[in-house]
PDB file of all heavy atoms in Angstrom:
ATOM      1  N   ILE M 224     139.172  51.501 -18.850  1.00 90.00           N
ATOM      2  CA  ILE M 224     138.799  52.219 -20.065  1.00 90.00           C
ATOM      3  C   ILE M 224     140.074  52.442 -20.878  1.00 90.00           C
ATOM      4  O   ILE M 224     141.111  52.791 -20.299  1.00 90.00           O
ATOM      5  CB  ILE M 224     138.198  53.597 -19.724  1.00 90.00           C
ATOM      6  CG1 ILE M 224     137.121  53.490 -18.645  1.00 90.00           C
ATOM      7  CG2 ILE M 224     137.671  54.299 -20.961  1.00 90.00           C
ATOM      8  CD1 ILE M 224     136.822  54.824 -17.973  1.00 90.00           C
ATOM      9  N   PRO M 225     140.052  52.275 -22.194  1.00 92.00           N
ATOM     10  CA  PRO M 225     141.256  52.595 -22.978  1.00 92.00           C
ATOM     11  C   PRO M 225     141.614  54.059 -22.781  1.00 92.00           C
ATOM     12  O   PRO M 225     140.754  54.935 -22.831  1.00 92.00           O
ATOM     13  CB  PRO M 225     140.845  52.285 -24.424  1.00 92.00           C
ATOM     14  CG  PRO M 225     139.351  52.288 -24.413  1.00 92.00           C
ATOM     15  CD  PRO M 225     138.946  51.822 -23.048  1.00 92.00           C
ATOM     16  N   ASN M 226     142.872  54.308 -22.555  1.00 92.00           N
ATOM     17  CA  ASN M 226     143.330  55.645 -22.184  1.00 92.00           C
ATOM     18  C   ASN M 226     143.188  56.642 -23.336  1.00 92.00           C
ATOM     19  O   ASN M 226     142.817  56.299 -24.454  1.00 92.00           O
ATOM     20  CB  ASN M 226     144.783  55.585 -21.708  1.00 92.00           C
ATOM     21  CG  ASN M 226     145.008  56.411 -20.456  1.00 92.00           C
ATOM     22  OD1 ASN M 226     144.353  57.435 -20.252  1.00 92.00           O
ATOM     23  ND2 ASN M 226     145.922  55.975 -19.615  1.00 92.00           N
ATOM     24  N   TYR M 227     143.511  57.910 -23.002  1.00 90.00           N
ATOM     25  CA  TYR M 227     143.344  59.018 -23.928  1.00 90.00           C
ATOM     26  C   TYR M 227     144.278  58.859 -25.137  1.00 90.00           C
ATOM     27  O   TYR M 227     145.483  58.691 -24.978  1.00 90.00           O
ATOM     28  CB  TYR M 227     143.671  60.337 -23.229  1.00 90.00           C
ATOM     29  CG  TYR M 227     142.705  60.752 -22.150  1.00 90.00           C
ATOM     30  CD1 TYR M 227     142.101  59.815 -21.319  1.00 90.00           C
ATOM     31  CD2 TYR M 227     142.407  62.086 -21.951  1.00 90.00           C
ATOM     32  CE1 TYR M 227     141.219  60.204 -20.333  1.00 90.00           C
ATOM     33  CE2 TYR M 227     141.522  62.492 -20.956  1.00 90.00           C
ATOM     34  CZ  TYR M 227     140.935  61.545 -20.159  1.00 90.00           C
ATOM     35  OH  TYR M 227     140.059  61.929 -19.184  1.00 90.00           O
ATOM     36  N   PRO M 228     143.744  58.953 -26.356  1.00 96.00           N
ATOM     37  CA  PRO M 228     144.582  58.819 -27.548  1.00 96.00           C
ATOM     38  C   PRO M 228     145.082  60.155 -28.087  1.00 96.00           C
ATOM     39  O   PRO M 228     144.382  61.164 -28.060  1.00 96.00           O
ATOM     40  CB  PRO M 228     143.635  58.174 -28.562  1.00 96.00           C
ATOM     41  CG  PRO M 228     142.301  58.765 -28.211  1.00 96.00           C
ATOM     42  CD  PRO M 228     142.310  58.955 -26.709  1.00 96.00           C
ATOM     43  N   LEU M 229     146.294  60.134 -28.589  1.00 97.00           N
ATOM     44  CA  LEU M 229     146.797  61.229 -29.403  1.00 97.00           C
ATOM     45  C   LEU M 229     146.371  60.961 -30.835  1.00 97.00           C
ATOM     46  O   LEU M 229     146.468  59.832 -31.325  1.00 97.00           O
ATOM     47  CB  LEU M 229     148.323  61.306 -29.321  1.00 97.00           C
ATOM     48  CG  LEU M 229     148.891  62.009 -28.090  1.00 97.00           C
ATOM     49  CD1 LEU M 229     150.337  61.608 -27.870  1.00 97.00           C
ATOM     50  CD2 LEU M 229     148.778  63.532 -28.234  1.00 97.00           C
ATOM     51  N   THR M 230     145.880  61.984 -31.512  1.00 98.00           N
ATOM     52  CA  THR M 230     145.412  61.827 -32.886  1.00 98.00           C
ATOM     53  C   THR M 230     146.008  62.912 -33.763  1.00 98.00           C
ATOM     54  O   THR M 230     146.425  63.967 -33.273  1.00 98.00           O
ATOM     55  CB  THR M 230     143.874  61.908 -32.968  1.00 98.00           C
ATOM     56  OG1 THR M 230     143.465  63.246 -32.657  1.00 98.00           O
ATOM     57  CG2 THR M 230     143.222  60.952 -31.991  1.00 98.00           C
ATOM     58  N   MET M 231     146.046  62.623 -35.049  1.00 98.00           N
ATOM     59  CA  MET M 231     146.513  63.643 -35.993  1.00 98.00           C
ATOM     60  C   MET M 231     145.697  63.582 -37.272  1.00 98.00           C
ATOM     61  O   MET M 231     145.010  62.596 -37.543  1.00 98.00           O
ATOM     62  CB  MET M 231     147.993  63.469 -36.291  1.00 98.00           C
ATOM     63  CG  MET M 231     148.397  62.146 -36.882  1.00 98.00           C
ATOM     64  SD  MET M 231     150.192  62.115 -37.162  1.00 98.00           S
ATOM     65  CE  MET M 231     150.569  60.395 -36.873  1.00 98.00           C
ATOM     66  N   GLN M 232     145.785  64.651 -38.024  1.00 97.00           N
ATOM     67  CA  GLN M 232     145.061  64.720 -39.278  1.00 97.00           C
ATOM     68  C   GLN M 232     145.653  63.732 -40.279  1.00 97.00           C
ATOM     69  O   GLN M 232     146.863  63.666 -40.479  1.00 97.00           O
ATOM     70  CB  GLN M 232     145.126  66.136 -39.856  1.00 97.00           C
ATOM     71  CG  GLN M 232     144.489  67.211 -38.988  1.00 97.00           C
ATOM     72  CD  GLN M 232     142.953  67.141 -38.989  1.00 97.00           C
ATOM     73  OE1 GLN M 232     142.360  66.201 -39.517  1.00 97.00           O
ATOM     74  NE2 GLN M 232     142.311  68.137 -38.395  1.00 97.00           N
ATOM     75  N   GLY M 233     144.784  62.980 -40.941  1.00 96.00           N
ATOM     76  CA  GLY M 233     145.246  62.020 -41.911  1.00 96.00           C
ATOM     77  C   GLY M 233     145.865  62.637 -43.145  1.00 96.00           C
ATOM     78  O   GLY M 233     146.626  61.986 -43.862  1.00 96.00           O
ATOM     79  N   TYR M 234     145.560  63.933 -43.404  1.00 96.00           N
ATOM     80  CA  TYR M 234     146.068  64.568 -44.604  1.00 96.00           C
ATOM     81  C   TYR M 234     147.490  65.107 -44.445  1.00 96.00           C
ATOM     82  O   TYR M 234     148.078  65.615 -45.404  1.00 96.00           O
ATOM     83  CB  TYR M 234     145.146  65.695 -45.072  1.00 96.00           C
ATOM     84  CG  TYR M 234     144.943  66.825 -44.075  1.00 96.00           C
ATOM     85  CD1 TYR M 234     145.952  67.738 -43.800  1.00 96.00           C
ATOM     86  CD2 TYR M 234     143.727  66.977 -43.426  1.00 96.00           C
ATOM     87  CE1 TYR M 234     145.759  68.776 -42.900  1.00 96.00           C
ATOM     88  CE2 TYR M 234     143.516  68.007 -42.529  1.00 96.00           C
ATOM     89  CZ  TYR M 234     144.533  68.906 -42.264  1.00 96.00           C
ATOM     90  OH  TYR M 234     144.342  69.917 -41.367  1.00 96.00           O
ATOM     91  N   LEU M 235     148.073  65.014 -43.260  1.00 97.00           N
ATOM     92  CA  LEU M 235     149.439  65.482 -43.080  1.00 97.00           C
ATOM     93  C   LEU M 235     150.399  64.629 -43.918  1.00 97.00           C
ATOM     94  O   LEU M 235     150.162  63.445 -44.161  1.00 97.00           O
ATOM     95  CB  LEU M 235     149.843  65.414 -41.612  1.00 97.00           C
ATOM     96  CG  LEU M 235     149.083  66.351 -40.660  1.00 97.00           C
ATOM     97  CD1 LEU M 235     149.513  66.107 -39.217  1.00 97.00           C
ATOM     98  CD2 LEU M 235     149.279  67.812 -41.044  1.00 97.00           C
ATOM     99  N   ALA M 236     151.489  65.239 -44.335  1.00 97.00           N
ATOM    100  CA  ALA M 236     152.476  64.537 -45.154  1.00 97.00           C
ATOM    101  C   ALA M 236     153.018  63.328 -44.389  1.00 97.00           C
ATOM    102  O   ALA M 236     153.238  63.406 -43.175  1.00 97.00           O
ATOM    103  CB  ALA M 236     153.613  65.482 -45.525  1.00 97.00           C
ATOM    104  N   PRO M 237     153.240  62.204 -45.084  1.00 96.00           N
ATOM    105  CA  PRO M 237     153.697  60.979 -44.415  1.00 96.00           C
ATOM    106  C   PRO M 237     154.934  61.169 -43.552  1.00 96.00           C
ATOM    107  O   PRO M 237     155.015  60.635 -42.442  1.00 96.00           O
ATOM    108  CB  PRO M 237     153.970  60.022 -45.592  1.00 96.00           C
ATOM    109  CG  PRO M 237     153.047  60.489 -46.661  1.00 96.00           C
ATOM    110  CD  PRO M 237     152.999  61.986 -46.530  1.00 96.00           C
ATOM    111  N   GLU M 238     155.910  61.943 -44.040  1.00 97.00           N
ATOM    112  CA  GLU M 238     157.134  62.144 -43.254  1.00 97.00           C
ATOM    113  C   GLU M 238     156.859  62.948 -41.987  1.00 97.00           C
ATOM    114  O   GLU M 238     157.476  62.717 -40.939  1.00 97.00           O
ATOM    115  CB  GLU M 238     158.226  62.808 -44.095  1.00 97.00           C
ATOM    116  CG  GLU M 238     157.904  64.196 -44.634  1.00 97.00           C
ATOM    117  CD  GLU M 238     157.151  64.189 -45.961  1.00 97.00           C
ATOM    118  OE1 GLU M 238     156.609  63.127 -46.351  1.00 97.00           O
ATOM    119  OE2 GLU M 238     157.111  65.260 -46.619  1.00 97.00           O
ATOM    120  N   LEU M 239     155.915  63.888 -42.057  1.00 97.00           N
ATOM    121  CA  LEU M 239     155.555  64.664 -40.877  1.00 97.00           C
ATOM    122  C   LEU M 239     154.812  63.785 -39.878  1.00 97.00           C
ATOM    123  O   LEU M 239     155.066  63.849 -38.667  1.00 97.00           O
ATOM    124  CB  LEU M 239     154.702  65.874 -41.263  1.00 97.00           C
ATOM    125  CG  LEU M 239     154.176  66.729 -40.100  1.00 97.00           C
ATOM    126  CD1 LEU M 239     155.325  67.227 -39.221  1.00 97.00           C
ATOM    127  CD2 LEU M 239     153.354  67.906 -40.617  1.00 97.00           C
ATOM    128  N   LYS M 240     153.902  62.945 -40.360  1.00 97.00           N
ATOM    129  CA  LYS M 240     153.185  62.037 -39.468  1.00 97.00           C
ATOM    130  C   LYS M 240     154.159  61.102 -38.756  1.00 97.00           C
ATOM    131  O   LYS M 240     154.016  60.839 -37.558  1.00 97.00           O
ATOM    132  CB  LYS M 240     152.136  61.234 -40.240  1.00 97.00           C
ATOM    133  CG  LYS M 240     150.966  62.072 -40.719  1.00 97.00           C
ATOM    134  CD  LYS M 240     149.755  61.221 -41.076  1.00 97.00           C
ATOM    135  CE  LYS M 240     149.927  60.517 -42.368  1.00 97.00           C
ATOM    136  NZ  LYS M 240     148.678  59.815 -42.786  1.00 97.00           N
ATOM    137  N   ALA M 241     155.147  60.618 -39.483  1.00 98.00           N
ATOM    138  CA  ALA M 241     156.145  59.731 -38.873  1.00 98.00           C
ATOM    139  C   ALA M 241     156.925  60.472 -37.789  1.00 98.00           C
ATOM    140  O   ALA M 241     157.224  59.903 -36.727  1.00 98.00           O
ATOM    141  CB  ALA M 241     157.086  59.188 -39.944  1.00 98.00           C
ATOM    142  N   SER M 242     157.255  61.736 -38.037  1.00 98.00           N
ATOM    143  CA  SER M 242     158.011  62.531 -37.057  1.00 98.00           C
ATOM    144  C   SER M 242     157.178  62.812 -35.812  1.00 98.00           C
ATOM    145  O   SER M 242     157.691  62.767 -34.686  1.00 98.00           O
ATOM    146  CB  SER M 242     158.463  63.848 -37.693  1.00 98.00           C
ATOM    147  OG  SER M 242     159.370  63.622 -38.740  1.00 98.00           O
ATOM    148  N   ILE M 243     155.889  63.113 -35.994  1.00 98.00           N
ATOM    149  CA  ILE M 243     155.002  63.374 -34.861  1.00 98.00           C
ATOM    150  C   ILE M 243     154.854  62.107 -34.015  1.00 98.00           C
ATOM    151  O   ILE M 243     154.958  62.141 -32.783  1.00 98.00           O
ATOM    152  CB  ILE M 243     153.622  63.857 -35.358  1.00 98.00           C
ATOM    153  CG1 ILE M 243     153.746  65.229 -36.022  1.00 98.00           C
ATOM    154  CG2 ILE M 243     152.619  63.902 -34.200  1.00 98.00           C
ATOM    155  CD1 ILE M 243     152.481  65.673 -36.734  1.00 98.00           C
ATOM    156  N   ARG M 244     154.629  60.990 -34.682  1.00 98.00           N
ATOM    157  CA  ARG M 244     154.486  59.709 -33.986  1.00 98.00           C
ATOM    158  C   ARG M 244     155.749  59.415 -33.170  1.00 98.00           C
ATOM    159  O   ARG M 244     155.679  59.065 -31.991  1.00 98.00           O
ATOM    160  CB  ARG M 244     154.215  58.597 -34.997  1.00 98.00           C
ATOM    161  CG  ARG M 244     153.965  57.236 -34.386  1.00 98.00           C
ATOM    162  CD  ARG M 244     153.683  56.190 -35.448  1.00 98.00           C
ATOM    163  NE  ARG M 244     152.416  56.445 -36.131  1.00 98.00           N
ATOM    164  CZ  ARG M 244     152.307  56.907 -37.363  1.00 98.00           C
ATOM    165  NH1 ARG M 244     153.394  57.179 -38.071  1.00 98.00           N
ATOM    166  NH2 ARG M 244     151.116  57.110 -37.900  1.00 98.00           N
ATOM    167  N   LYS M 245     156.897  59.568 -33.790  1.00 98.00           N
ATOM    168  CA  LYS M 245     158.170  59.286 -33.121  1.00 98.00           C
ATOM    169  C   LYS M 245     158.396  60.224 -31.940  1.00 98.00           C
ATOM    170  O   LYS M 245     158.875  59.808 -30.880  1.00 98.00           O
ATOM    171  CB  LYS M 245     159.315  59.413 -34.127  1.00 98.00           C
ATOM    172  CG  LYS M 245     160.689  59.070 -33.559  1.00 98.00           C
ATOM    173  CD  LYS M 245     161.766  59.166 -34.643  1.00 98.00           C
ATOM    174  CE  LYS M 245     163.133  58.835 -34.077  1.00 98.00           C
ATOM    175  NZ  LYS M 245     164.192  58.945 -35.127  1.00 98.00           N
ATOM    176  N   ALA M 246     158.029  61.502 -32.106  1.00 98.00           N
ATOM    177  CA  ALA M 246     158.234  62.483 -31.039  1.00 98.00           C
ATOM    178  C   ALA M 246     157.489  62.087 -29.773  1.00 98.00           C
ATOM    179  O   ALA M 246     158.020  62.222 -28.657  1.00 98.00           O
ATOM    180  CB  ALA M 246     157.788  63.867 -31.506  1.00 98.00           C
ATOM    181  N   PHE M 247     156.274  61.581 -29.908  1.00 98.00           N
ATOM    182  CA  PHE M 247     155.492  61.208 -28.734  1.00 98.00           C
ATOM    183  C   PHE M 247     155.875  59.828 -28.190  1.00 98.00           C
ATOM    184  O   PHE M 247     155.940  59.636 -26.976  1.00 98.00           O
ATOM    185  CB  PHE M 247     154.000  61.276 -29.043  1.00 98.00           C
ATOM    186  CG  PHE M 247     153.459  62.673 -29.043  1.00 98.00           C
ATOM    187  CD1 PHE M 247     153.261  63.371 -30.233  1.00 98.00           C
ATOM    188  CD2 PHE M 247     153.172  63.321 -27.845  1.00 98.00           C
ATOM    189  CE1 PHE M 247     152.778  64.671 -30.222  1.00 98.00           C
ATOM    190  CE2 PHE M 247     152.683  64.622 -27.823  1.00 98.00           C
ATOM    191  CZ  PHE M 247     152.485  65.302 -29.022  1.00 98.00           C
ATOM    192  N   LEU M 248     156.138  58.882 -29.067  1.00 98.00           N
ATOM    193  CA  LEU M 248     156.511  57.555 -28.584  1.00 98.00           C
ATOM    194  C   LEU M 248     157.880  57.566 -27.900  1.00 98.00           C
ATOM    195  O   LEU M 248     158.154  56.719 -27.050  1.00 98.00           O
ATOM    196  CB  LEU M 248     156.508  56.548 -29.744  1.00 98.00           C
ATOM    197  CG  LEU M 248     155.143  56.268 -30.383  1.00 98.00           C
ATOM    198  CD1 LEU M 248     155.281  55.245 -31.500  1.00 98.00           C
ATOM    199  CD2 LEU M 248     154.133  55.779 -29.350  1.00 98.00           C
ATOM    200  N   ASN M 249     158.718  58.537 -28.254  1.00 97.00           N
ATOM    201  CA  ASN M 249     160.045  58.658 -27.635  1.00 97.00           C
ATOM    202  C   ASN M 249     160.082  59.692 -26.517  1.00 97.00           C
ATOM    203  O   ASN M 249     161.159  60.057 -26.042  1.00 97.00           O
ATOM    204  CB  ASN M 249     161.089  59.026 -28.692  1.00 97.00           C
ATOM    205  CG  ASN M 249     161.357  57.899 -29.662  1.00 97.00           C
ATOM    206  OD1 ASN M 249     161.038  56.745 -29.387  1.00 97.00           O
ATOM    207  ND2 ASN M 249     161.952  58.213 -30.808  1.00 97.00           N
ATOM    208  N   LEU M 250     158.927  60.163 -26.113  1.00 96.00           N
ATOM    209  CA  LEU M 250     158.855  61.176 -25.063  1.00 96.00           C
ATOM    210  C   LEU M 250     158.987  60.515 -23.690  1.00 96.00           C
ATOM    211  O   LEU M 250     158.149  59.706 -23.290  1.00 96.00           O
ATOM    212  CB  LEU M 250     157.523  61.927 -25.152  1.00 96.00           C
ATOM    213  CG  LEU M 250     157.216  62.988 -24.099  1.00 96.00           C
ATOM    214  CD1 LEU M 250     158.327  64.021 -24.022  1.00 96.00           C
ATOM    215  CD2 LEU M 250     155.886  63.659 -24.402  1.00 96.00           C
ATOM    216  N   HIS M 251     160.052  60.867 -22.954  1.00 95.00           N
ATOM    217  CA  HIS M 251     160.300  60.255 -21.650  1.00 95.00           C
ATOM    218  C   HIS M 251     160.494  61.283 -20.533  1.00 95.00           C
ATOM    219  O   HIS M 251     160.719  60.899 -19.388  1.00 95.00           O
ATOM    220  CB  HIS M 251     161.535  59.357 -21.729  1.00 95.00           C
ATOM    221  CG  HIS M 251     161.435  58.278 -22.761  1.00 95.00           C
ATOM    222  ND1 HIS M 251     160.473  57.284 -22.725  1.00 95.00           N
ATOM    223  CD2 HIS M 251     162.155  58.069 -23.900  1.00 95.00           C
ATOM    224  CE1 HIS M 251     160.618  56.487 -23.772  1.00 95.00           C
ATOM    225  NE2 HIS M 251     161.618  56.943 -24.502  1.00 95.00           N
ATOM    226  N   ASP M 252     160.413  62.564 -20.877  1.00 96.00           N
ATOM    227  CA  ASP M 252     160.591  63.620 -19.887  1.00 96.00           C
ATOM    228  C   ASP M 252     159.395  63.635 -18.930  1.00 96.00           C
ATOM    229  O   ASP M 252     158.266  63.918 -19.330  1.00 96.00           O
ATOM    230  CB  ASP M 252     160.711  64.973 -20.599  1.00 96.00           C
ATOM    231  CG  ASP M 252     161.077  66.106 -19.662  1.00 96.00           C
ATOM    232  OD1 ASP M 252     160.386  66.292 -18.641  1.00 96.00           O
ATOM    233  OD2 ASP M 252     162.057  66.817 -19.965  1.00 96.00           O
ATOM    234  N   LYS M 253     159.654  63.340 -17.660  1.00 94.00           N
ATOM    235  CA  LYS M 253     158.566  63.220 -16.686  1.00 94.00           C
ATOM    236  C   LYS M 253     157.811  64.532 -16.500  1.00 94.00           C
ATOM    237  O   LYS M 253     156.595  64.533 -16.279  1.00 94.00           O
ATOM    238  CB  LYS M 253     159.115  62.737 -15.340  1.00 94.00           C
ATOM    239  CG  LYS M 253     159.646  61.312 -15.373  1.00 94.00           C
ATOM    240  CD  LYS M 253     160.142  60.874 -14.010  1.00 94.00           C
ATOM    241  CE  LYS M 253     160.653  59.442 -14.045  1.00 94.00           C
ATOM    242  NZ  LYS M 253     161.171  58.999 -12.712  1.00 94.00           N
ATOM    243  N   GLU M 254     158.534  65.645 -16.583  1.00 93.00           N
ATOM    244  CA  GLU M 254     157.880  66.944 -16.403  1.00 93.00           C
ATOM    245  C   GLU M 254     156.893  67.212 -17.536  1.00 93.00           C
ATOM    246  O   GLU M 254     155.788  67.691 -17.309  1.00 93.00           O
ATOM    247  CB  GLU M 254     158.941  68.052 -16.354  1.00 93.00           C
ATOM    248  CG  GLU M 254     158.454  69.353 -15.733  1.00 93.00           C
ATOM    249  CD  GLU M 254     158.023  69.198 -14.275  1.00 93.00           C
ATOM    250  OE1 GLU M 254     158.616  68.384 -13.548  1.00 93.00           O
ATOM    251  OE2 GLU M 254     157.078  69.916 -13.887  1.00 93.00           O
ATOM    252  N   ILE M 255     157.299  66.883 -18.754  1.00 95.00           N
ATOM    253  CA  ILE M 255     156.418  67.084 -19.903  1.00 95.00           C
ATOM    254  C   ILE M 255     155.240  66.121 -19.850  1.00 95.00           C
ATOM    255  O   ILE M 255     154.096  66.490 -20.138  1.00 95.00           O
ATOM    256  CB  ILE M 255     157.195  66.900 -21.221  1.00 95.00           C
ATOM    257  CG1 ILE M 255     158.269  67.982 -21.345  1.00 95.00           C
ATOM    258  CG2 ILE M 255     156.248  66.957 -22.421  1.00 95.00           C
ATOM    259  CD1 ILE M 255     159.173  67.816 -22.555  1.00 95.00           C
ATOM    260  N   LEU M 256     155.503  64.895 -19.443  1.00 94.00           N
ATOM    261  CA  LEU M 256     154.451  63.888 -19.406  1.00 94.00           C
ATOM    262  C   LEU M 256     153.366  64.205 -18.380  1.00 94.00           C
ATOM    263  O   LEU M 256     152.247  63.694 -18.479  1.00 94.00           O
ATOM    264  CB  LEU M 256     155.058  62.510 -19.127  1.00 94.00           C
ATOM    265  CG  LEU M 256     155.832  61.904 -20.306  1.00 94.00           C
ATOM    266  CD1 LEU M 256     156.663  60.720 -19.853  1.00 94.00           C
ATOM    267  CD2 LEU M 256     154.868  61.485 -21.416  1.00 94.00           C
TER     268      LEU M 256
END
Side-chain angles (χ1 to χ4, degrees):
I224 311 162
N226 224 328
Y227 292 36
L229 279 160
T230 68
M231 59 180 147
Q232 298 287 8
Y234 60 72
L235 294 176
E238 62 274 15
L239 176 56
K240 290 198 285 187
S242 295
I243 293 171
R244 184 179 293 107
K245 183 178 180 181
F247 282 99
L248 294 181
N249 291 342
L250 177 54
H251 302 298
D252 187 307
K253 293 181 179 179
E254 199 62 34
I255 296 175
L256 287 167

